[in-house]
Amino acid sequence: MRRLVVLFAASLGVLGCATDQGKDTASGRDNFPAISAGPAGRIRGAVRLQGTLPPAAAELVKEHQEVCGHDVSLPRLVLGDKNGVQDTFVYLEGVQDGRSFPRPQSALVDQRRCQYSPHVMIVPVGTKLEITNSDPILHNVHGLETTDQGLQTIFNIAQPVRGQRTTVEPALMKPGIIHLACEAGHAWMNAYVFVASHPYVTITNHAGEFAMPQVPPGTYRIKMWHEGVIRKRNIESLQRYEYEDPYDLMQEVVVQAGAETVANFDLRLRPTT
């Protein structure tokens, strides 16, 4: 199964198409230099699952079967060639500024056949999110961020009419990862929006690979973020699923002018018992 990925930082040249569990990814670090124009290098690599892929969970659809189908799978971890993990955010942490980061006027999230499309996306800080409903049933898009006090609402938009289109106001100004959830009887619906303050962010492709071009020489922390895989419980009062914590790995990389640096990540799932 492949999920559609939209990457608005197109200048990254991503091969396919986070915060520390939702915290600000762009907070400066004293031991990391500001990025400036000049000769650049390239970072590439892959995220691969180590170990056995757990069986995909499935959910019986109790209503709106004519739109959603009779059952839906819940693939929180999608693998490609050589156990490459798709739809993983990879980004540089601690970057204080960067090269030009084109900002689109808006970024679109669609609700189609009771799924969000795309499942993961990157938008620059200051982008306005647009929500549309392609289904003839009620959906809502509840945007939440992870804080020290737990998940906190950023916006919550209901769309009962097919074809309805809404612009989220205000624009997304805080760097971090926003979790999207539907609480209109479709608890399996989820998506993630990475709000980035610099262009050194990308998403792994169908083979779990990524590329980050035009990185100025320096020493950086590069991180990967993937949504939690195991469902812990169904919060029926909120019509929302609760999953284990996201997977968040980091390593240090040295980028040299005109050279390529390889940074691979081995993802090991937490024990289920």
Side-chain angles (χ1 to χ4, degrees):
M1 172 181 177
R2 293 190 180 182
R3 292 167 172 151
L4 177 63
V5 173
V6 174
L7 177 59
F8 287 94
S11 59
L12 289 178
V14 179
L15 292 179
C17 54
T19 70
D20 204 337
Q21 297 184 15
K23 297 176 186 175
D24 187 355
T25 60
S27 56
R29 302 264 185 175
D30 291 340
N31 56 330
F32 286 94
I35 285 182
S36 59
R42 179 175 185 258
I43 304 173
R44 71 166 179 86
V47 179
R48 303 196 188 281
L49 177 69
Q50 303 299 313
T52 304
L53 177 69
E59 185 80 10
L60 292 177
V61 176
K62 298 178 180 179
E63 57 182 342
H64 306 139
Q65 293 180 344
E66 72 284 0
V67 178
C68 305
H70 294 281
D71 59 75
V72 293
S73 61
L74 307 174
R76 302 280 294 186
L77 186 66
V78 182
L79 299 185
D81 298 338
K82 300 179 182 178
N83 274 7
V85 181
Q86 302 180 33
D87 293 348
T88 303
F89 293 120
V90 181
Y91 61 98
L92 297 186
E93 183 186 57
V95 174
Q96 298 177 32
D97 53 45
R99 59 187 169 82
S100 176
F101 192 14
R103 186 175 69 213
Q105 290 185 342
S106 63
L108 181 66
V109 173
D110 191 11
Q111 298 155 104
R112 185 180 297 273
R113 297 192 62 80
C114 302
Q115 298 285 356
Y116 289 124
S117 179
H119 178 69
V120 290
M121 66 192 304
I122 299 168
V123 299
V125 163
T127 301
K128 289 188 176 182
L129 199 64
E130 288 196 27
I131 309 295
T132 189
N133 184 4
S134 294
D135 292 336
I137 56 176
L138 169 67
H139 285 306
N140 82 299
V141 181
H142 191 177
L144 304 117
E145 65 175 347
T146 301
T147 70
D148 293 338
Q149 290 74 45
L151 289 174
Q152 299 293 318
T153 296
I154 302 174
F155 56 84
N156 196 350
I157 296 172
Q159 293 187 324
V161 179
R162 186 176 195 171
Q164 188 172 350
R165 189 165 179 148
T166 306
T167 300
V168 177
E169 297 283 357
L172 304 176
M173 300 303 299
K174 183 180 179 181
I177 296 177
I178 298 173
H179 173 210
L180 305 183
C182 178
E183 297 153 350
H186 315 118
W188 62 84
M189 292 179 64
N190 66 90
Y192 297 91
V193 180
F194 193 119
V195 184
S197 62
H198 59 76
Y200 306 100
V201 187
T202 185
I203 298 170
T204 57
N205 66 3
H206 67 279
E209 300 168 340
F210 68 89
M212 194 178 296
Q214 298 301 312
V215 180
T219 301
Y220 306 97
R221 285 194 180 108
I222 187 169
K223 300 187 75 171
M224 59 132 284
W225 185 100
H226 191 281
E227 63 198 279
V229 176
I230 305 301
R231 187 175 67 176
K232 296 169 60 177
R233 62 177 177 141
N234 181 1
I235 310 176
E236 295 185 0
S237 61
L238 298 178
Q239 300 189 62
R240 187 195 310 154
Y241 294 155
E242 181 182 281
Y243 290 88
E244 64 173 336
D245 290 339
Y247 289 87
D248 196 344
L249 303 177
M250 183 273 293
Q251 60 182 282
E252 190 173 273
V253 293
V254 177
V255 177
Q256 298 179 344
E260 182 176 78
T261 299
V262 176
N264 294 319
F265 291 92
D266 293 333
L267 177 61
R268 292 177 173 84
L269 300 184
R270 303 179 185 99
T272 57
T273 56

